[in-house]
Every structure is written in C-alpha cells, then in structure tokens.
Amino acid sequence: MSFLLPKLTSKKEVDQAIKCTAEKVLVLRFGRDEDPVCLQLDDILSKTAPDLSKMAAIYLVDVADTPVYTQYFDISYIPSTVFFFNGQHMKVDYGSPDHTKFVGSFKTKQDFIDLIEVIYRGAMRGKLIVQSPIDPKNIPKYDLLYQDI
C-alpha cells in the first residue's frame, strides 16, 4: 500500500516539505516500507488521504534515508508519525509523556481523521499543542527509554 503515498527520501526533501506545506497539516510517517505495522498504518493513511486532502499532506519517510530526523525526533519505535503546520512542529497530548509524535498504527481510519481535524483546527487558532481526540484505549502504550541519565 505504501506506493499510494508520496515518499520523501532525503533530509532535503523533508526540509522542503516542512517549509513549503502551507495551511495544511503535514503528516510525516517515519518507518520502513517492509515493516508489517508500517504497512498497516500506510493502508489507513492512503485510504484517508483523499478525504483529508484539503487539510493534510501525507508523506512517508524511511528511517534509513533520514538519520538526522530519525535522531532529532528520537524515533526509537516505528512507525512514528510527526505533525507540522506552516513549518511549526505540532504536539499532541495523547495522555503519555511524549507529545512530539504518535507511535504505532492507528486502530481505525476514523481515529486518524479525528486527530487530523483536531490538529488542523488547533493550528488555525494558533495552538502548538492539542488534546488527542482518540480514545485512550486505542493509543498504543510504549515505555520510553531514557539513555545517559
């Protein structure tokens, strides 16, 4: 399913997408094309992309192609989905310690659609962090690993 969504294959392409995506939520899925959970998430993203085309631009990013961003966003679990609006990193409170990215796959297409709508509306009001509309039981739980503490 990944072939249905555009891919960013270098740091320069990711930079360009962040800088040039205006008035839409930029969705960057960091992962690997052959990973089963990434494929599950890509299926949801590709099926919702047409419905969200007015408020979101969705791209796939392979963690191996962009080590700078993989490290910058501390992507230790894949897939991880990061959101931007007008070049600004959007944070979402999922009820977990990490507000910078969504880790794992969404349980339903509706969860993803609801999240994009909340991010979009919040961003249009100038908010940099929004409350997740996703039912907490549908949010994958991961233990954050802290190194060098």
Side-chain angles (χ1 to χ4, degrees):
M1 279 304 151
S2 310
F3 60 87
L4 297 172
L5 292 167
K7 290 185 181 155
L8 303 176
T9 57
S10 67
K11 179 188 179 298
K12 185 178 180 182
E13 287 181 9
V14 175
D15 290 344
Q16 194 70 17
I18 292 169
K19 276 190 248 167
C20 297
T21 304
E23 300 304 314
K24 284 185 178 185
V25 176
L26 173 63
V27 180
L28 299 177
R29 189 282 281 148
F30 287 87
R32 289 193 185 85
D33 291 344
E34 65 281 353
D35 181 80
V37 183
C38 290
L39 290 171
Q40 180 187 352
L41 175 57
D42 294 353
D43 185 49
I44 289 172
L45 298 180
S46 63
K47 284 179 178 170
T48 55
D51 300 332
L52 294 170
S53 62
K54 286 185 173 36
M55 63 176 110
I58 303 170
Y59 294 97
L60 307 180
V61 184
D62 193 298
V63 288
D65 293 340
T66 55
V68 170
Y69 280 113
T70 303
Q71 186 175 1
Y72 181 77
F73 291 119
D74 188 28
I75 294 171
S76 18
Y77 295 107
I78 61 168
S80 287
T81 310
V82 181
F83 305 95
F84 289 87
F85 190 83
N86 289 346
Q88 183 69 48
H89 185 199
M90 293 296 296
K91 295 178 175 64
V92 181
D93 184 351
Y94 303 104
S96 67
D98 187 359
H99 301 335
T100 61
K101 61 191 166 287
F102 185 89
V103 178
S105 180
F106 297 94
K107 292 270 190 281
T108 66
K109 292 188 316 189
Q110 196 57 51
D111 281 347
F112 179 64
I113 291 168
D114 293 348
L115 180 61
I116 294 301
E117 288 175 347
V118 165
I119 293 172
Y120 182 80
R121 283 198 302 270
M124 292 301 270
R125 288 194 210 106
K127 293 183 175 181
L128 299 178
I129 185 166
V130 296
Q131 192 69 42
S132 171
I134 301 171
D135 185 325
K137 71 177 186 296
N138 285 354
I139 297 175
K141 298 283 185 267
Y142 295 91
D143 292 326
L144 293 177
L145 303 173
Y146 293 102
Q147 298 167 332
D148 306 327
I149 291 183

